[in-house]
């Protein structure tokens, strides 16, 4: 229900600001400002979005946590959407989100309100690719089949065999 309030209040505020600005500078300059802000917002979003994408790719290359570049990219996308939306209030919110310090502040505020409940891999804790350690640091047992490969077998000279000498199921003898 609380999410409905901005969708009701924001258009009313935007209309009131349009009336005030239109009364001060006239109709055509007001429309010109709205169009100019949409074009500028689109251009700024592309510029900063490209930088955020490069930062995200760099974090993957350097094996760093990509959450900050992803969050910045999402906020840049939101800023662009706000600036393309007609209205002076949404434009000012979009411009504010294009400032890196403001994005960092928003990310910090959102981070304080979020809580990670579990970290899993693949299908989750009960799935086939569950993490090998339980909370508290105790290792779990990992059941696996293995194949012993002699030195010459790695080059494909012989069929690798399990320790008991039988070929693995599904393998054919050459």
């Amino acid at each position: 229900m609380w999410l409905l309030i901005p969708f009701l209040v924001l258009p009313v505020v935007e209309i009131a600001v349009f009336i005030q600005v239109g009364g001060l500078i006239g109709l055509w300059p007001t429309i010109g400002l709205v169009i100019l802000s949409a074009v500028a917002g689109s251009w700024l979003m592309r510029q900063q979005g490209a930088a955020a994408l490069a930062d995200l790719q760099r974090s993957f290359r350097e094996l760093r946590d990509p959450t900050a570049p992803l969050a910045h990219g999402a906020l840049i996308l939101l800023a662009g959407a706000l600036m393309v939306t007609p209205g002076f209030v949404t434009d000012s919110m979009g411009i504010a989100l294009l400032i890196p310090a403001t994005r960092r502040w928003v990310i910090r505020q959102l981070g304080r309100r979020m809580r990670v409940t579990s970290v899993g891999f693949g299908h989750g804790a009960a799935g086939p690719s569950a993490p090998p350690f339980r909370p508290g640091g105790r290792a779990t047992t990992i059941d696996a089949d293995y194949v012993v490969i002699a030195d010459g077998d790695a080059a494909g000279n012989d069929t690798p065999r399990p320790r008991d000498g039988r070929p693995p199921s599904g393998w054919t003898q050459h």
Side-chain angles (χ1 to χ4, degrees), residues 21-90:
V21 171
L24 288 174
I25 64 173
L27 173 67
W28 293 112
T30 303
I31 291 173
L33 280 176
V34 169
I35 292 171
L36 180 67
S37 70
V39 170
S42 176
W43 181 79
L44 284 169
M45 184 183 65
R46 278 204 321 248
Q47 297 298 317
Q48 290 200 7
L53 181 61
D55 191 31
L56 178 64
Q57 290 171 338
R58 188 171 33 261
S59 71
F60 283 134
R61 271 194 315 275
E62 296 171 0
L63 300 175
R64 289 185 294 125
D65 182 17
T67 53
L70 282 171
H72 280 276
L75 288 176
I76 289 168
L77 186 64
L78 177 62
L82 287 170
M83 289 190 70
V84 171
T85 303
F88 295 111
V89 175
T90 54

Side-chain angles (χ1 to χ4, degrees), residues 119-133:
V119 176
F121 299 91
H123 293 72
S129 59
F133 294 101

Side-chain angles (χ1 to χ4, degrees), residues 66-157:
T67 53
L70 282 171
H72 280 276
L75 288 176
I76 289 168
L77 186 64
L78 177 62
L82 287 170
M83 289 190 70
V84 171
T85 303
F88 295 111
V89 175
T90 54
D91 287 348
S92 61
M93 291 173 10
I95 289 169
L97 283 176
L98 289 175
I99 300 168
T102 306
R103 285 197 307 267
R104 285 191 295 272
W105 180 83
V106 169
I107 291 168
R108 269 195 316 274
Q109 296 305 310
L110 290 174
R112 289 181 184 152
R113 288 170 176 72
M114 292 183 182
R115 185 173 59 110
V116 177
T117 56
S118 67
V119 176
F121 299 91
H123 293 72
S129 59
F133 294 101
R134 293 183 190 168
R138 295 178 299 161
T140 59
T141 302
I142 300 174
D143 185 20
D145 294 324
Y146 64 94
V147 175
V148 176
I149 300 176
D151 290 339
D153 292 342
N157 297 332

